[in-house]
Amino acid sequence: MAETTRHPEPRYGNRPTMKDVAARAGVGLKTVSRVVNSEPGVTPDTERRVQEAIDALGFRRNDSARVLRKGRTASIGLVLEDLADPFYGPLSRAVEEVARAHGALLINGSSAENPEREQELVLALCARRVDGLIVIPAGDDHRYLEQEIKAGIATVFVDRPAGRIDADMVLSDSFGGARQGVAHLIAHGHRRIGFIGDQPRIHTATERLRGYHTAMTDAGITVRDSWVSLGSTEPERVRLATETMLSGPEPVTALFSGNNRVTVTVVRVLADREHPVALVGFDDIELADLLGITVISQDAAAVGRTAAEHLFRRLDGADHAPVRVELPTRLVARGSGELRPS
């Protein structure tokens, strides 16, 4: 007996169309279109037959055609620095909640702190015709977005200002928060305070360093070069900077860490030391409440929500001059920042 070869049904590429629904329901294509788009003019019995056909075939509306007709995709893009950074979790979630309330889909991606990758990702989202963008910038020149903004893509920059263009931005008060955190250490008797921060090309890093210097100047303290270290947040770099500041005949008695990634490494270094060292970190970290870490806390959710609300106001037609919103930070005292010099 001859064998017959069975060819499996292809798994991809055979999505049912409105023509398939019309044929199964025994109605015209226009009738299916009216049911799919919730338009009037269809009897209840016909609508039921069309809906049964849709359910049986697993039909899903193709929104691409609607985009071509209406010029809006009901989607926005969010470009983050690092999806793994805990600061961006509540920020992204808040943006998504606002987008959902406006019937929009959120598409996000990470620039990995690379300006070229940021530009590539942003322009890829623009090519996919998102209606708006929320960008945490990695670069300092955003003129590549000028034509996209002119074409109608609403854009809000978050955490750091846009570079060389005028655009809406939502920031936290990095300068004021760092100034408050360092002043808190000074108020608890510290004079030799080290600052370990991110790379100097990053706006938030330089603003927090400026806050550190201002607090020290306000207290009449001259900062030594050896008390300041800016650079990569890689653990080895931060560990070396921390150990260097804590060594020698006159080590620092307190540390101010410039962001959550720096703080995590500093906490690990301090855990191995015999004598306690005061610490205030910028940004909260997981388990900071249990570990007793004093921090300058940003409201990441408020930053994301505010940025998204500004974006949708632009999409709804607001045409005022670009705005800069700076949200306050908060000192959360938990013990590490209240230690006095040993």
Side-chain angles (χ1 to χ4, degrees), residues 2-313:
E3 291 186 4
T4 58
T5 303
R6 296 184 62 188
H7 297 283
E9 290 293 321
R11 294 178 60 198
Y12 307 108
N14 286 331
R15 296 178 64 180
T17 66
M18 283 203 292
K19 287 183 180 179
D20 298 325
V21 175
R24 186 180 183 95
V27 299
L29 190 60
K30 182 61 178 176
T31 300
V32 176
S33 176
R34 284 173 176 158
V35 173
V36 167
N37 293 297
S38 301
E39 296 174 358
V42 182
T43 66
D45 181 63
T46 300
E47 182 177 0
R48 177 185 56 76
R49 287 181 12 237
V50 170
Q51 192 60 55
E52 287 175 352
I54 288 172
D55 294 340
L57 293 171
F59 170 79
R60 294 291 181 271
R61 183 177 66 188
N62 180 0
D63 283 336
S64 298
R66 301 178 82 234
V67 168
L68 293 175
R69 291 198 305 269
K70 298 185 177 183
R72 290 280 288 272
T73 64
S75 62
I76 64 170
L78 172 61
V79 178
L80 303 167
E81 175 206 342
D82 182 357
L83 292 170
D85 189 321
F87 173 74
Y88 295 122
L91 186 152
S92 178
R93 187 163 56 250
V95 172
E96 186 171 24
E97 288 173 356
V98 175
R100 184 178 181 184
H102 285 82
L105 176 70
L106 177 66
I107 306 169
N108 59 29
S110 170
S111 70
E113 200 62 72
N114 184 309
E116 289 76 23
R117 183 167 171 177
E118 173 212 300
Q119 180 173 340
E120 179 184 335
L121 180 56
V122 166
L123 293 180
L125 289 168
C126 292
R128 283 158 178 75
R129 301 187 66 180
V130 294
D131 300 320
L133 290 164
I134 295 175
V135 181
I136 289 91
D140 56 7
D141 187 347
H142 294 93
R143 288 176 295 177
Y144 70 85
L145 259 173
E146 285 180 334
Q147 293 303 316
E148 306 296 340
I149 294 173
K150 287 179 182 177
I153 294 182
T155 306
V156 178
F157 287 83
V158 174
D159 195 41
R160 311 163 188 174
R164 307 184 72 175
I165 64 170
D166 290 326
D168 292 335
M169 64 186 75
V170 179
L171 316 172
S172 291
D173 184 9
S174 286
F175 166 76
R179 184 180 185 179
Q180 182 185 22
V182 176
H184 185 73
L185 290 169
I186 294 169
H188 285 81
H190 296 279
R191 307 286 293 178
R192 300 195 303 273
I193 302 171
F195 177 92
I196 304 176
D198 210 331
Q199 301 180 65
R201 65 178 177 81
I202 298 174
H203 170 80
T204 49
T206 58
E207 282 296 283
R208 291 166 196 176
L209 177 61
R210 189 167 69 89
Y212 163 83
H213 276 294
T214 300
M216 298 290 272
T217 300
D218 290 345
I221 302 171
T222 301
V223 175
R224 300 179 187 176
D225 291 342
S226 59
W227 295 352
V228 175
S229 178
L230 297 181
S232 163
T233 59
E234 289 297 317
E236 282 309 307
R237 201 283 301 183
V238 175
R239 177 179 293 276
L240 178 60
T242 306
E243 291 173 345
T244 300
M245 290 184 190
L246 295 174
S247 62
E250 288 189 305
V252 298
T253 62
L255 290 164
F256 184 84
S257 53
N259 66 28
N260 52 8
R261 285 164 291 185
V262 174
T263 302
V264 168
T265 301
V266 171
V267 168
R268 286 177 174 154
V269 174
L270 297 184
D272 294 332
R273 298 189 67 83
E274 181 180 355
H275 300 293
V277 175
L279 170 67
V280 174
F282 203 110
D283 284 339
D284 222 334
I285 62 171
E286 189 175 4
L287 302 182
D289 53 340
L290 296 179
L291 296 172
I293 308 300
T294 297
V295 299
I296 299 297
S297 177
Q298 302 183 80
D299 191 340
V303 171
R305 184 169 54 253
T306 303
E309 288 169 349
H310 275 277
L311 185 75
F312 280 99
R313 278 197 285 272

